[in-house]
Amino acid sequence: DGGITQSPKYLFRKEGQNVTLSCEQNLNHDAMYWYRQDPGQGLRLIYYSQIVNDFQKGDIAEGYSVSREKKESFPLTVTSAQKNPTAFYLCASSFRGLNTEAFFGQGTRLTVV
Amino acid sequence: DAKTTQPPSMDCAEGRAANLPCNHSTISGNEYVYWYRQIHSQGPQYIIHGLKNNETNEMASLIITEDRKSSTLILPHATLRDTAVYYCIVRGLLIQGAQKLVFGQGTRLTINP
């Protein structure tokens, strides 16, 4: 089946450790995105990429890093510089353009203790 | 990006039509209106989108006013599984074709038996 897969679903890390969240899609989409969601809040854009080996900062990029070495994959690293990393992280992908919907993964819930 | 305003919560009886309003008075001419919904702890699910004409698909109908300053999502025969947070989004382009989905607080729709 075509889709977008995030792993793992739940992740626990100790404070001060970097952690990488996986996002893979087999929809042949050019663009991929990472969002963060806090309890009771909407989604906020962290990073996006519209083509391999290129990515741009979103609204809340500080403390995060990404790479886009393959079209299918867009991993997100939450670094120790991120002050409040505990959140629900969502990855999405789409074709480029306005008249095309984005598809979301099922999310990774990161808890830093 | 145009901002959207939605009521924080709504209730609807099972089997009745659910009408979810959205105001987007600052929308510009080339921005689309998108609707997504999010069931607790899952990724957002695409529902429908439109530019200026009314749209219908197997999930819902979208009615956009002639001046495009507001829209209504209609779920014709609501079921208990339609209980979710519904997001109305006005979508603008990022650089080179990647889309920016700006999520607000959404409307928490509860379908009652």
Side-chain angles (χ1 to χ4, degrees):
Chain A
D1 283 356
I4 180 165
T5 303
Q6 291 186 243
S7 61
K9 190 171 175 64
Y10 299 96
L11 191 55
F12 295 86
R13 279 294 182 270
K14 290 184 178 179
E15 195 171 343
Q17 289 182 334
N18 292 354
V19 60
T20 297
L21 282 59
S22 169
C23 179
E24 304 274 336
Q25 55 96 3
N26 60 2
L27 300 167
N28 199 33
H29 285 164
D30 301 297
M32 297 186 74
Y33 316 82
W34 274 104
Y35 288 86
R36 169 186 172 134
Q37 187 174 34
D38 293 288
Q41 304 295 313
L43 281 68
R44 292 184 290 168
L45 182 64
I46 304 173
Y47 267 99
Y48 64 97
S49 167
Q50 48 181 318
I51 197 169
V52 174
N53 292 323
D54 184 67
F55 47 83
Q56 305 293 331
K57 292 181 180 180
D59 300 317
I60 55 165
E62 185 175 351
Y64 299 97
S65 65
V66 294
S67 63
R68 187 85 186 276
E69 297 177 0
K70 298 187 300 181
K71 187 176 185 178
E72 302 79 18
S73 178
F74 191 41
L76 173 75
T77 297
V78 184
T79 75
S80 56
Q82 168 50 234
K83 292 182 171 47
N84 296 297
T86 294
F88 188 46
Y89 290 89
L90 287 155
C91 180
S93 69
S94 73
F95 291 113
R96 285 184 281 173
L98 276 175
N99 191 17
T100 172
E101 64 267 33
F103 293 88
F104 283 81
Q106 289 304 297
T108 292
R109 188 167 298 280
L110 173 66
T111 302
V112 175
V113 296
Chain B
D1 296 309
K3 292 185 70 173
T4 62
T5 304
Q6 299 176 253
S9 63
M10 292 182 65
D11 286 87
C12 179
E14 188 178 18
R16 306 296 292 268
N19 298 285
L20 290 85
C22 180
N23 286 321
H24 32 78
S25 58
T26 59
I27 193 170
S28 62
N30 65 348
E31 289 180 317
Y32 282 74
V33 179
Y34 275 73
W35 283 83
Y36 284 78
R37 71 181 182 185
Q38 187 177 26
I39 296 169
H40 183 62
S41 296
Q42 296 184 22
Q45 176 191 21
Y46 165 80
I47 301 173
I48 199 168
H49 73 280
L51 182 62
K52 54 185 177 181
N53 297 320
N54 298 338
E55 301 287 344
T56 296
N57 63 20
E58 64 277 6
M59 287 182 70
S61 294
L62 174 61
I63 309 298
I64 302 174
T65 58
E66 194 169 340
D67 63 7
R68 301 205 332 117
K69 293 185 177 181
S70 65
S71 60
T72 300
L73 177 75
I74 301 172
L75 307 178
H77 305 288
T79 71
L80 297 178
R81 288 184 295 179
D82 292 323
T83 293
V85 177
Y86 286 77
Y87 294 101
C88 167
I89 300 156
V90 173
R91 217 189 78 206
L93 276 179
L94 296 162
I95 59 170
Q96 296 182 22
Q99 56 180 282
K100 184 172 186 177
L101 295 170
V102 179
F103 286 77
Q105 301 297 313
T107 295
R108 183 173 298 279
L109 175 67
T110 302
I111 306 301
N112 300 308

